[in-house]
Amino acid sequence: MKIIVTGGAGFIGSNFVFHMLNKHPDYDIICLDKLTYAGNLSTLASVMDNPHFKFVKIDICDREGVYKLFEEEHPDIVVNFAAESHVDRSIENPEIFLQTNIIGTATLMDACRKYGIKRYHQVSTDEVYGDLPLD
Ligand SMILES: NC(=O)c1ccc[n+]([C@@H]2O[C@H](COP(=O)([O-])OP(=O)(O)OC[C@H]3O[C@@H](n4cnc5c(N)ncnc54)[C@H](O)[C@@H]3O)[C@@H](O)[C@H]2O)c1
């Protein structure tokens, strides 16, 4: 199983990478991240030497770069954590939120359709998916 994890140098994405490598040591995990102010490569230092892990610096809005990666890697699953995630910053600079959260997401979904990816998982918030029951 090969999984592309976008935004894997961020808070939740990096923890997902650690969880998957730990729980499924035979899976190949490719982390795609633009390394914005929110992404930190040193967060992934402990897995950089893992032969089942690879880091690629790409912007999810870069259609050519994303398509090239999908073509080379043929992932089974794509999990998208790449986002402008700090809502306060959207008041100062909304455009980057539209670029990454909408155009970038659309680019990934187009790539999934083009290369026949069997599962695309969009990580988002409770505002989008709704609350979980307390239990
Ligand atoms: N942190 C939380 O408590 C929380 C709660 C609910 C939902 N979420 C959702 O989970 C997702 C990830 O959140 P997080 O807290 O890990 O965010 P984060 O800001 O810590 O990390 C985002 C990552 O995405 C990367 N990134 C940003 N723009 C990119 C682009 N254009 N191309 C490629 N990479 C890009 C950044 O470099 C960074 O590594 C978001 O959709 C967020 O809304 C987070």
Side-chain angles (χ1 to χ4, degrees):
M1 181 71 72
K2 190 184 271 193
I3 306 179
I4 288 185
V5 179
T6 69
F11 175 47
I12 303 190
S14 57
N15 282 288
F16 179 76
V17 167
F18 299 147
H19 172 77
M20 292 307 281
L21 287 171
N22 188 34
K23 185 121 181 151
H24 303 282
D26 54 327
Y27 283 15
D28 290 316
I29 307 287
I30 297 149
C31 171
L32 177 170
D33 201 296
K34 181 184 175 184
L35 296 180
T36 67
Y37 78 94
N40 192 341
L41 203 48
S42 65
T43 308
L44 296 167
S46 63
V47 293
M48 279 297 183
D49 290 337
N50 185 323
H52 289 281
F53 178 78
K54 183 156 124 187
F55 179 83
V56 188
K57 186 173 183 228
I58 304 183
D59 185 331
I60 58 167
C61 303
D62 171 4
R63 188 171 289 268
E64 207 178 302
V66 168
Y67 281 12
K68 186 166 177 283
L69 183 71
F70 277 53
E71 202 167 320
E72 284 169 4
E73 297 292 352
H74 300 289
D76 299 291
I77 295 175
V78 175
V79 185
N80 181 24
F81 290 92
E84 285 296 330
S85 63
H86 295 116
V87 177
D88 290 352
R89 294 171 59 93
S90 67
I91 297 160
E92 295 289 318
N93 183 8
E95 196 174 320
I96 187 67
F97 282 71
L98 298 175
Q99 280 298 328
T100 290
N101 297 359
I102 296 175
I103 304 296
T105 298
T107 304
L108 289 174
M109 290 194 295
D110 282 347
C112 286
R113 196 169 48 178
K114 184 173 166 67
Y115 293 101
I117 308 308
K118 63 182 176 208
R119 178 166 178 168
Y120 170 80
H121 193 90
Q122 174 68 22
V123 176
S124 191
T125 68
D126 56 340
E127 280 90 352
V128 173
Y129 288 121
D131 293 334
L132 284 171
L134 284 175
D135 58 355

